Amino acid sequence: VTFTPATPMPANTTIAGAVDSTSNVLDFAGNAAQSYRFSFTTAATADTTAPVITSITPAAGSTNMGPSAVVTVIFSKSLDPSTINNATVGLFAGATRLTLKSITSSQDHTIVSMNASPLPASSTITAVITHGVLDLSGNALQDFTSSFTTAALDSSRPQVSLYRPGYGSSSVPANAPIEIFFTTPMDPTSVSGALTVSQNGSAIAGA
């Protein structure tokens, strides 16, 4: 659970928080959370340091990227999640804006991923992140762009065109099947040894 202040918290102030067991905060099994209280003190001076981008993948200038490449951006500090949206981030193929299937961020809002797969082949893809992205203190990011190129379409080999659940999906049922769609019909006898599904590096059994 993440709580994001609507406005920056005051400097040099003790902030208290609580989880109230009488408010019916439940897990998926219906068990109520125990009461919990905590506090912390904000910095003596207001935060005026703007966030910066520390890493982006694919890296600027990368070539021959596949159509399923997802752009992942790492920031120097937590962002205001309400400012991460289609108005402030985007992917372009040349001058054409691509439709983002998803914009996801890590729990602490320091990592943002943009998925517009399948990306067009033989294209220059530019990631754009604007000054509309703010940190939790309202400091704005400087406008940022980074570009890479995608590989030419190899029509002689089948490619993944779609998969479900989609990238970055949440609240997926534990028994949900994983579906992968290819551009051409596949030989079912060749699939079992080539497809792996894992959780934290450990293979998940299935068929």
Side-chain angles (χ1 to χ4, degrees):
V1 175
T2 301
F3 173 81
T4 302
T7 58
M9 293 179 287
N12 198 27
T13 301
T14 298
I15 306 297
V19 176
D20 186 353
S21 62
T22 65
S23 299
N24 292 324
V25 179
L26 309 177
D27 64 15
F28 286 114
N31 302 305
Q34 292 184 347
S35 294
Y36 185 80
R37 297 184 181 278
F38 59 92
S39 64
F40 57 90
T41 302
T42 56
T45 57
D47 177 11
T48 58
T49 301
V52 296
I53 291 173
T54 61
S55 175
I56 185 169
T57 55
S62 296
T63 59
N64 293 320
M65 300 305 301
S68 60
V70 173
V71 176
T72 300
V73 187
I74 300 179
F75 296 84
S76 60
K77 58 198 304 192
S78 296
L79 304 176
D80 178 350
S82 69
T83 66
I84 306 170
N85 51 58
N86 282 301
T88 59
V89 302
L91 296 178
F92 292 79
T96 302
R97 182 164 190 156
L98 303 177
T99 300
L100 294 178
K101 291 183 177 179
S102 64
I103 305 173
T104 58
S105 62
S106 59
Q107 187 172 5
D108 62 356
H109 305 299
T110 60
I111 303 174
V112 174
S113 295
M114 294 177 279
N115 178 18
S117 64
L119 299 174
S122 301
S123 299
T124 297
I125 307 298
T126 302
V128 176
I129 303 109
T130 74
H131 61 271
V133 173
L134 309 178
D135 67 13
L136 296 177
S137 297
N139 301 304
L141 179 82
Q142 285 192 346
D143 291 337
F144 175 89
T145 62
S146 179
S147 299
F148 61 92
T149 58
T150 52
L153 180 63
D154 184 355
S155 59
S156 65
R157 300 176 62 184
Q159 299 186 32
V160 173
S161 60
L162 180 67
Y163 50 89
R164 298 173 181 156
Y167 179 85
S169 298
S170 59
S171 300
V172 176
N175 62 346
I178 297 174
E179 299 176 301
I180 302 174
F181 298 84
F182 291 86
T183 53
T184 60
M186 304 298 293
D187 177 358
T189 63
S190 69
V191 174
S192 60
L195 174 64
T196 59
V197 178
S198 63
Q199 189 267 329
N200 289 335
S202 298
I204 297 175

